Amino acid sequence: MQVVGHLINGKQSHNQNDPTQDVFNPATGAVTKQVSLASKETVEEAIAAADAAFPEWRNTPPMKRARVMFRFKALLEENAAKICALLTDEHGKVLDDAMGELTRGIEVVEFACGAPQMLKGEHSKNVGPAIDSWSEFQALGVVAGITPFNFPAMVPMWMFPMALVCGNTFVLKPSERDPSAPMFIGELLKQAGLPDGVFNIVNGDKVAVDTILEDKRVQAVSFVGSTPIAEYIYSKGTANGKRVQALGGAKNHAIIMPDADMDNAVNALMGAAYGSCGERCMAISVVVCVGDEAADELVAKLKPQVASLKIGNGTDTSNEMGPVITKMAQERIKGLITQGAEQGANLVVDGRDLVVEGHENGYFVGGTLFDNVTQDMVVYQEEIFGPVLCVVRVDTMQEAMKMIDDHEFGNGTCLFTRDGEAARYFSDNIKVGMVGINVPLPVPVAYHSFGGWKRSLFGDLSAHGPDAIRFYTRRKTVTQRWPSSGVREGKQFAFPS
Ligand code: NAD
């Protein structure tokens, strides 16, 4: 059986002594490949390759680095069908959803093509007599990315295109659940002309992650995944002197105001809650309805649509939802649905018993809808990361906003309304990093930065956009005097001003 290895110094490799783990097709439950789990030595080999490649890459003109990205973008587009097929085979998402993911990743590559402009720095002439001063953005060195299963193509591309154009070299540790798309993308980078060693991939688990966090040569770590691991990466990475950005989990609320365009809201919520089986950090998993009238209308409209979601293998693009990632995830989600019902939520649509004909061993969960959910319930508090939407009823917008502010996560949120004043108040005051007004998945475009608040992000800088330049560079300010003839300063013991 094929073993997905690593990409180190431009070559794919698998160390026979390293353990392996099964890779599944979640739509069928079949083992399709093995993935190599890098040992400490294997990860150190990748870090050494990145470290060796740094001096030359750092001094490559920014425009030449950007040109690699131009070629890479073209190769991603030419190979889109193959990448999407790999995503669907190992993640399970429907093919057109995979294309959406890839497109969002390509957009960051396009943004990275403009890095020479963003790296120009700041210059001030005559800050003192014959003294000029400038601030430049210098590359950090070896940086690492550790990424989750749910966007195996897009999330790595939130990181490495910007890191590379800034002059860094990179070690990526993708999710061991769906490693093939990142490996193929790594090959495309090589074809685009990236020198060997500048971009490396190690597949693996905690052993690989801990090696990255402990190695002194790694200057910065970007992480995206669940909150407990994000917090671990942030504390361990910063304790070891690294710059860290760690994006964590989410529980994204939408508020439905009584004046909302309900049909528009229902359509938007169907995609936002059930698209990709709810396995998105920006999925809407709670709807807070202001007033019983709005709640009754919403639930009545959602119920038949949730019950009739078309679910099956992601290779069939007429399906709206594929399977969840693993058997364990399927069982966990079903267990949470049971717990929600036991705690008194009204289970309006129950997806626990779904069987997809011809795919009896696939990890499917049907669309699920709860009404009358309250803040003390586990289905309200936890990130379910499955196709489960919880409706909560409140009397006022203030009550809805307080609920959102009190939640541990603050990734995304959305308000459905026709009232501009309410919308403005909401976006100004809500304690969440990414806000939508009648836009259910307010995922910032590549030239803005992506990141949540509260326990959805550990660190100060978000992913891609302008924050990426700051994260992947270190500022250096140079003050320089070239005395002109005849201008000589005497001794001066006071602080220069
Ligand atoms: P995860 O935290 O289990 O894994 C993420 C990465 O961490 C993987 O590469 C994994 O190998 C590694 N890892 C797992 N356990 C580890 C451990 N004990 N020590 C060290 N490393 C470990 O997350 P996941 O299940 O792959 O992804 C889903 C989660 O990611 C959800 O919580 C979702 O909200 C979150 N996510 C967040 C964003 C965001 O932008 N905030 C985006 C996508 C996904």
Side-chain angles (χ1 to χ4, degrees):
M1 185 171 282
Q2 186 191 340
V3 179
V4 182
H6 319 288
L7 180 69
I8 299 176
N9 209 15
K11 283 169 208 68
Q12 292 214 15
S13 62
H14 160 54
N15 184 340
Q16 297 294 333
N17 299 324
D18 290 353
T20 57
Q21 181 177 303
D22 291 341
V23 177
F24 295 87
N25 178 332
T28 61
V31 176
T32 53
K33 288 176 192 163
Q34 301 274 303
V35 61
S36 181
L37 302 179
S39 59
K40 190 168 190 292
E41 292 68 36
T42 303
V43 178
E44 284 175 348
E45 204 188 313
I47 296 172
D51 196 39
F54 177 62
E56 195 173 332
W57 182 245
R58 165 190 192 261
N59 285 318
T60 300
M63 200 62 232
K64 284 196 174 167
R65 298 198 296 248
R67 269 183 211 133
V68 175
M69 288 299 143
F70 277 104
R71 289 191 291 268
F72 179 49
K73 168 190 149 61
L75 286 167
L76 287 168
E77 286 168 345
E78 276 165 35
N79 290 279
K82 177 161 181 195
I83 298 168
C84 292
L86 291 172
L87 292 171
T88 297
D89 272 1
E90 292 181 5
H91 175 282
K93 62 180 70 180
V94 179
L95 276 171
D96 56 0
D97 187 28
M99 192 58 213
E101 160 176 4
L102 180 62
T103 304
R104 276 302 181 103
I106 291 174
E107 285 174 12
V108 184
V109 178
E110 290 168 339
F111 177 64
C113 290
Q117 160 71 12
M118 295 181 272
L119 288 169
K120 283 193 311 198
E122 299 151 357
H123 187 269
S124 298
K125 202 173 166 69
N126 287 330
V127 295
I131 301 176
D132 302 331
S133 187
W134 71 88
S135 296
E136 58 190 41
F137 303 115
Q138 294 200 345
L140 302 175
V142 180
V143 302
I146 300 161
T147 54
F149 81 82
N150 67 326
F151 286 109
M154 178 186 78
V155 170
M157 286 198 273
W158 280 358
M159 303 172 180
F160 70 77
M162 289 304 292
L164 296 179
V165 289
C166 286
N168 303 284
T169 53
F170 204 92
V171 176
L172 173 68
K173 207 302 284 172
S175 171
E176 61 276 40
R177 310 212 184 291
D178 37 23
S180 296
M183 283 300 281
F184 180 59
I185 286 171
E187 281 299 316
L188 295 182
L189 259 181
K190 191 173 148 70
Q191 279 180 38
L194 193 75
D196 289 350
V198 173
F199 179 74
N200 307 274
I201 301 177
V202 285
N203 281 299
D205 55 14
K206 185 170 163 53
V207 173
V209 171
D210 285 341
T211 306
I212 288 170
L213 294 175
E214 282 159 13
D215 196 298
K216 287 200 166 26
R217 292 166 293 186
V218 176
Q219 302 295 310
V221 176
S222 299
F223 172 86
V224 176
S226 61
T227 286
I229 311 298
E231 193 165 28
Y232 169 74
I233 303 276
Y234 185 78
S235 7
K236 191 167 171 132
T238 51
N240 285 333
K242 300 181 197 319
R243 185 179 286 183
V244 181
Q245 56 178 183
L247 283 70
K251 190 81 177 177
N252 306 311
H253 297 55
I255 300 179
I256 305 276
M257 295 293 282
D259 69 348
D261 175 338
M262 199 57 87
D263 290 325
N264 175 45
V266 167
N267 283 340
L269 286 173
M270 285 303 296
Y274 301 102
S276 204
C277 244
E279 289 176 322
R280 291 178 181 147
C281 65
M282 288 293 276
I284 294 287
S285 49
V286 179
V287 191
V288 191
C289 291
V290 177
D292 278 331
E293 210 176 305
D296 289 343
E297 188 185 351
L298 179 80
V299 172
K301 288 192 162 165
L302 279 175
K303 185 178 171 180
Q305 297 204 30
V306 178
S308 60
L309 274 164
K310 224 176 150 250
I311 303 169
N313 197 323
T315 51
D316 176 353
T317 46
S318 71
N319 284 323
E320 292 161 324
M321 239 170 65
V324 296
I325 184 72
T326 54
K327 179 101 194 133
M328 209 209 275
Q330 181 195 36
E331 280 164 7
R332 179 180 164 272
I333 295 163
K334 288 185 183 182
L336 281 162
I337 299 171
T338 304
Q339 218 173 338
E342 284 169 0
Q343 287 190 316
N346 174 13
L347 187 49
V348 179
V349 183
D350 180 357
R352 283 174 296 182
D353 295 329
L354 174 80
V355 177
V356 174
E357 232 182 276
H359 290 74
E360 286 75 9
N361 295 323
Y363 314 137
F364 293 96
V365 182
T368 298
L369 180 65
F370 277 116
D371 192 4
N372 301 104
V373 171
T374 51
Q375 274 174 293
D376 55 332
M377 294 177 184
V378 176
V379 285
Y380 175 79
Q381 293 159 355
E382 275 196 27
E383 179 182 43
I384 299 175
F385 227 53
V388 181
L389 182 61
C390 297
V391 176
V392 180
R393 294 168 177 242
V394 295
D395 294 325
T396 63
M397 178 170 138
Q398 290 294 352
E399 220 183 309
M401 286 178 65
K402 179 165 185 329
M403 189 175 278
I404 296 173
D405 288 347
D406 287 347
H407 204 283
E408 70 166 311
F409 300 125
N411 216 39
T413 187
C414 171
L415 180 78
F416 289 97
T417 186
R418 287 187 167 98
D419 178 346
E421 185 184 355
R424 190 164 188 271
Y425 180 83
F426 175 76
S427 60
D428 195 25
N429 290 287
I430 200 75
K431 294 186 176 68
V432 172
M434 293 171 282
V435 178
I437 304 296
N438 300 315
V439 173
L441 290 180
V443 179
V445 289
Y447 41 100
H448 286 257
S449 297
F450 181 110
W453 285 13
K454 296 186 275 182
R455 289 173 61 75
S456 292
L457 171 68
F458 300 86
D460 304 307
L461 292 167
S462 300
H464 60 69
D467 274 14
I469 294 280
R470 292 289 175 180
F471 186 78
Y472 292 121
T473 61
R474 199 173 270 134
R475 174 186 286 268
K476 180 179 280 181
T477 304
V478 181
T479 302
Q480 176 173 273
R481 169 160 54 199
W482 292 105
S484 38
S485 52
V487 183
R488 287 284 181 275
E489 268 196 66
K491 287 180 195 139
Q492 185 187 320
F493 296 97
F495 195 66
S497 62

